[in-house]
């Protein structure tokens, strides 16, 4: 798409952010340096694995524990316990070495993800006292602090399962111990896990915000517009193109908000922005391809949707209430930011 708006109309997409608040930065730096060493030193990573924590997956479904309230939380296991489980189920404990490094706890314990899809699902669940849950379901029922680790673990395991061969030679690639890269022994080509960049944008005409839904969304859920970046596009170009394509509106200005890893459909890097359009040219014109509906919402309507819990149940015969993605989804953050700004103006 050709950009023809003057530069004075576009706000910088890289505004200053407060990243850590009162976090002990020296502890954070030491953990990041530790993780970097584990990625670069195979022997150090193998040693860390022996005393580390492991999040199990079964064919990419994470092992979780369900609470009495129907929510889920992480079910991390000690590496020594995983070895014991593998032995009791007749599996070579060397399977543990296929674990992928995903993080480091506050007390410097390395964290790994491991897929045990070759084992009987029910047997593993019984021995671990947990349950393997489809991530699309678990995502809305996990505690906010647990979501990034679970999605990162699944994303890395999936990447290794789908990138076992060199795209140039067709020969098998070899991973390092941490799982942070794969190398072709034939030509030395190195492959790194990647995310697909996606722009998600909340459009406003100054008094209202635009929310839309796809036919695949749960009933009643509306969200911000989103679209993948085309090759060679900037964030600004993608945002303007997507808004024009999907709802027939021309963006006048935009502002960067934040970013988030999104595991669906595979691994996306969500770049969240706010955008404004002229109130004189705010008539929505759907292209009828991706969206089922898109409409303008007032502040009152938006705040009402934010109060609704996920999958609200209406009375029989009544229309389903309008609701938005949960708080830890970046679309929710954009909507809340807009509502707060409207109250200030």
């Amino acid at each position: 798409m050709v950009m023809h708006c003057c530069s004075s109309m576009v706000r910088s997409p890289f505004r200053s952010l407060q990243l850590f608040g009162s976090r002990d930065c020296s502890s954070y730096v030491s953990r990041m340096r530790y993780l970097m060493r584990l990625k670069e030193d195979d022997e150090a990573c193998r040693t860390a694995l022996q005393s580390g924590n492991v999040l199990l997956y079964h064919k990419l479904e994470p092992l979780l524990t369900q609470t009495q309230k129907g929510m889920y939380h992480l079910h991390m296991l000690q590496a020594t316990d995983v070895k014991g489980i593998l032995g009791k189920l007749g599996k070579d404990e060397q399977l543990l070495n296929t674990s992928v490094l995903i993080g480091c706890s506050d007390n410097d314990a390395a964290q790994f993800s491991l897929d045990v899809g070759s084992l009987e699902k029910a047997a593993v669940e019984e021995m671990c006292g947990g349950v393997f849950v489809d991530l699309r379901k678990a995502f809305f029922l996990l505690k906010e602090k647990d979501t990034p680790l679970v999605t990162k673990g699944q994303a890395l395991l999936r990447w290794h399962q789908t990138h076992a061969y060199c795209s140039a030679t067709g020969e098998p690639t070899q991973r390092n111990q941490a799982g942070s890269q794969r190398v072709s022994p034939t030509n030395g080509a190195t492959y790194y896990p990647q995310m697909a960049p996606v722009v998600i944008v909340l459009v406003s005409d100054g008094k209202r915000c635009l929310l839309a839904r796809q036919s695949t969304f749960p009933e009643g859920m509306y969200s911000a517009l989103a679209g993948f970046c085309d090759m060679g596009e900037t964030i600004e170009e993608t945002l303007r193109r997507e808004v024009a394509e999907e709802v027939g509106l021309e963006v006048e200005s935009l502002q960067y908000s934040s970013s988030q890893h999104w595991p669906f459909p595979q691994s996306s890097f969500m770049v969240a922005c706010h955008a404004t359009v002229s109130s004189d040219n705010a008539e929505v014109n759907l292209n009828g391809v991706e969206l089922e509906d898109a409409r303008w919402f007032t502040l009152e309507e938006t705040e009402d949707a934010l109060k609704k819990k996920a999958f609200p149940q209406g009375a029989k015969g009544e229309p389903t209430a309008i609701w938005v993605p949960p708080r830890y989804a970046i679309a929710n953050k954009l909507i809340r930011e807009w509502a707060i700004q409207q109250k200030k103006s």
Side-chain angles (χ1 to χ4, degrees):
M1 175 179 179
V2 178
M3 295 182 66
H4 55 274
C5 294
C6 63
S7 60
S8 61
M9 297 177 68
V10 182
R11 300 178 187 177
S12 170
F14 302 108
R15 59 187 176 88
S16 177
L17 298 175
Q18 182 67 33
L19 295 179
F20 304 118
S22 59
R23 171 182 285 182
D24 184 343
C25 288
S26 62
S27 297
Y28 174 78
V29 170
S30 66
R31 289 200 301 275
M32 294 305 102
R33 292 286 175 85
Y34 177 54
L35 286 173
M36 182 176 69
R37 183 164 70 89
L38 297 185
K39 292 177 182 178
E40 296 177 345
D41 188 331
D42 284 354
E43 189 57 39
C45 189
R46 276 189 286 268
T47 299
L49 175 59
Q50 302 311 308
S51 60
N53 298 319
V54 183
L55 179 59
L56 296 183
Y57 293 75
H58 190 279
K59 296 181 179 178
L60 299 180
E61 292 185 351
L63 181 70
L64 305 173
T65 301
Q66 189 170 18
T67 68
Q68 293 181 344
K69 295 182 179 180
M71 300 294 286
Y72 291 99
H73 61 80
L74 290 184
H75 192 92
M76 299 289 285
L77 299 170
Q78 294 288 326
T80 51
D81 294 331
V82 174
K83 285 184 178 181
I85 292 170
L86 293 175
K88 291 178 181 178
L89 294 178
K91 197 71 174 180
D92 191 334
E93 67 178 34
Q94 292 302 312
L95 178 66
L96 181 65
N97 289 329
T98 64
S99 300
V100 175
L101 180 68
I102 56 176
C104 178
S105 67
D106 290 340
N107 61 356
D108 294 333
Q111 299 165 317
F112 297 83
S113 62
L114 172 65
D115 198 296
V116 293
S118 59
L119 300 178
E120 185 182 352
K121 185 177 182 180
V124 179
E125 290 177 331
E126 183 178 357
M127 294 194 69
C128 296
V131 58
F132 290 105
V133 183
D134 180 83
L135 189 58
R136 286 185 180 273
K137 175 183 177 182
F139 190 82
F140 293 97
L141 298 173
L142 275 167
K143 294 181 179 179
E144 185 173 355
K145 65 181 181 63
D146 292 340
T147 306
L149 200 63
V150 172
T151 57
K152 181 178 181 180
Q154 191 211 56
L156 286 172
L157 289 172
R158 182 197 292 114
W159 182 82
H160 281 284
Q161 292 175 7
T162 56
H163 289 74
Y165 297 91
C166 176
S167 60
T169 67
E171 297 293 326
T173 54
Q174 298 176 354
R175 50 161 285 186
N176 64 341
Q177 183 58 50
S180 60
Q181 64 182 46
R182 300 189 72 94
V183 178
S184 171
T186 304
N187 61 6
T190 302
Y191 298 90
Y192 299 95
Q194 296 179 334
M195 297 185 291
V198 174
V199 174
I200 180 166
V201 54
L202 187 68
V203 178
S204 173
D205 68 350
K207 295 295 183 181
R208 303 170 297 174
C209 71
L210 185 69
L211 299 177
R213 61 172 281 106
Q214 298 178 9
S215 59
T216 56
F217 283 6
E219 188 175 357
M221 192 186 86
Y222 280 71
S223 186
L225 301 178
F228 287 94
C229 294
D230 281 348
M231 183 64 70
E233 279 188 330
T234 64
I235 295 298
E236 295 91 338
E237 289 170 333
T238 299
L239 185 153
R240 295 178 187 282
R241 174 181 56 77
E242 284 292 335
V243 174
E245 287 178 351
E246 294 186 0
V247 293
L249 298 175
E250 186 167 339
V251 168
E252 291 190 336
S253 66
L254 61 94
Q255 184 177 20
Y256 169 78
S257 170
S258 53
S259 61
Q260 180 184 47
H261 170 238
W262 188 253
F264 313 115
Q266 292 193 9
S267 286
S268 300
F269 179 62
M270 307 292 287
V271 180
C273 300
H274 291 277
T276 59
V277 298
S278 170
S279 59
D280 295 329
N281 295 286
E283 182 178 352
V284 175
N285 180 14
L286 292 179
N287 66 8
V289 177
E290 297 183 19
L291 299 180
E292 179 181 79
D293 187 28
R295 67 179 84 163
W296 291 105
F297 286 78
T298 65
L299 175 60
E300 181 180 2
E301 292 171 329
T302 302
E303 289 185 317
D304 185 58
L306 285 167
K307 293 176 184 177
K308 298 288 193 305
K309 294 182 179 180
F311 307 106
Q313 300 294 323
K316 188 174 182 180
E318 293 183 0
T320 304
I322 301 298
W323 56 288
V324 296
R327 286 185 64 88
Y328 42 86
I330 205 164
N332 185 290
K333 182 177 186 293
L334 283 172
I335 297 167
R336 283 187 284 114
E337 287 177 341
W338 178 82
I340 292 171
Q341 187 59 43
Q342 286 297 112
K343 289 181 177 180
K344 291 180 179 179
S345 60

